[in-house]
Amino acid sequence: MPKVAAIVVGAGLGRRMGKDKTFLLLGGKPVISWCVDVLQKSGSIDAIVLVLHKDAMDAGRKLVAHSNWSKVNAICEGGPHRQDSVRNGLNAVDRSEWVLIHDGARPFLTGRLIENGVQAASETGAAAAAVEVKDTIKQVDDSGIVTRTLHRNTLRAVQTPQVFRFDLLRKAYELVSGEYTDDASIVERAGYRVKLYPGEYENIKITTPEDLMLAETIAKGLSKG
Amino acid sequence: MPKVAAIVVGAGLGRRMGKDKTFLLLGGKPVISWCVDVLQKSGSIDAIVLVLHKDAMDAGRKLVAHSNWSKVNAICEGGPHRQDSVRNGLNAVDRSEWVLIHDGARPFLTGRLIENGVQAASETGAAAAAVEVKDTIKQVDDSGIVTRTLHRNTLRAVQTPQVFRFDLLRKAYELVSGEYTDDASIVERAGYRVKLYPGEYENIKITTPEDLMLAETIAKGLSKG
């Protein structure tokens, strides 16, 4: 049984960009390869499962065949919602002590984010990377009138990695239905405590064309460094 | 009496970057010049007041002397908090029908953002640009444990421009004390309704070194377009 299995969720339909971001080229290699390379190198990760959009399965198989990813032991198809994709990934892992979920559209994963996530999860069984919120965040009603400005000091913008005790995440997925934007939310909804640990501002998710421009800039900076 | 006066707030201490961002060069010109150029060109703006950090007053005076900014009719010193700076700007405007507040660290202001702000403010007397929130936002307690995940559909990340009826904003500033991260919050706190209107993802605020990298990339794209 692997100690820590990673599930890379690259199954998004890319509604904001009009296409699947997972295989776009970033600094000369597919977006998804960036994070898988880091997971492959990490001493904390024992196995990797890729969850891909059904139209990207062939491209994914070819990519794995041509990459040096000895830890990738399954490629499985995503579902209509994020949690369907993660559930398929969990079934493909079958069983491990811990599971680390990472967005395939977050290329700038680091070894430190992985290790700190595993460490933070050991406290509560569930941890998610998160950064302080720079913007002022308000809640609005249907007509765009502000109903409330939130106290910024208490807010965090959540990223991945998110790390869970495998049994805890599986249990949460059994208990909770409905649509959620991250796995920690499902775990919270199931009644478990989630610990946030410091993410990194560079650990962006590529969602819009502006994000891809920023990613290219970060990638250039990394190749220089 | 000018119909719409703009106050550009460039007085931030730049705590996240370790220095004042206002005069950093971006695509060959100071960050603050980008938005002032757009305000100068806008048919909706009649007067401009710059609020600068006390250590930047000389640099500001020189910049104004060398720029073609016929609408800039005052440069005044900022205060310790954002609202002290805005209050100084309001005093310098003295009086106008409307006032538009803009962050000096948001270079990619557009004519459309200005016009839509003035238009939206005409409904309620107070309007702020805002974009949908892409991240999952959680609230945490002091130990980093999640207390709540917010319903993302109702959240907006607020930007500037923010446009107010001059008398309404002045009244709000008289009524409200304490520290706030934007002017709309002060207006809300004073009991007025604030209308949010669509901002732009490119209308970023330069706060971190990553933001400056993204800004350089956006600036290059604009100079090509």
Side-chain angles (χ1 to χ4, degrees), chain B residues 141-154:
Chain B
D141 67 16
D142 291 342
S143 61
I145 300 292
V146 176
T147 53
R148 192 172 163 228
T149 293
L150 299 158
H151 191 55
R152 189 165 66 180
N153 291 349
T154 66

Side-chain angles (χ1 to χ4, degrees), chain A residues 8-14 19-23 32 50-61 75-81 85:
Chain A
V8 175
V9 187
L13 288 164
K19 57 183 163 183
D20 187 354
K21 295 130 335 196
T22 314
F23 290 89
I32 196 169
L50 306 184
V51 189
L52 300 176
H53 191 269
K54 65 174 166 30
D55 298 338
M57 292 296 285
D58 272 351
R61 280 187 207 101
I75 309 176
C76 64
E77 211 174 285
H81 300 296
S85 299

Side-chain angles (χ1 to χ4, degrees), chain A residues 28-133:
Chain A
K29 67 181 181 183
V31 166
I32 196 169
S33 294
W34 285 78
C35 70
V36 181
D37 282 347
V38 173
L39 291 163
Q40 171 70 33
K41 270 183 213 142
S42 167
S44 303
I45 300 295
D46 306 293
I48 303 170
V49 170
L50 306 184
V51 189
L52 300 176
H53 191 269
K54 65 174 166 30
D55 298 338
M57 292 296 285
D58 272 351
R61 280 187 207 101
K62 274 178 201 154
L63 183 63
V64 171
H66 289 89
S67 303
N68 229 346
W69 293 338
S70 58
K71 294 178 187 172
V72 175
N73 57 21
I75 309 176
C76 64
E77 211 174 285
H81 300 296
R82 185 191 157 82
Q83 59 258 49
D84 302 314
S85 299
V86 172
R87 190 179 282 116
N88 293 355
L90 285 173
N91 290 337
V93 166
D94 187 27
R95 202 170 151 65
S96 62
E97 193 172 340
W98 297 92
V99 61
L100 177 149
I101 315 279
H102 188 67
D103 294 325
R106 290 192 192 268
F108 305 117
L109 178 64
T110 63
R112 188 170 56 180
L113 283 170
I114 296 170
E115 285 149 34
N116 290 351
V118 171
Q119 176 61 35
S122 70
E123 292 178 36
T124 56
V131 291
E132 289 183 17
V133 171

Side-chain angles (χ1 to χ4, degrees), chain A residues 9 14-15 21 25 32 39 51 84 91 102 105 116 132 140-141 153 155 171 176 188 195 202 207 217:
Chain A
V9 187
R15 267 168 290 191
K21 295 130 335 196
L25 285 183
I32 196 169
L39 291 163
V51 189
D84 302 314
N91 290 337
H102 188 67
N116 290 351
E132 289 183 17
V140 289
D141 66 16
N153 290 350
L155 300 181
K171 185 77 186 164
V176 175
E188 293 154 30
K195 170 89 179 177
E202 286 203 352
T207 311
T217 310

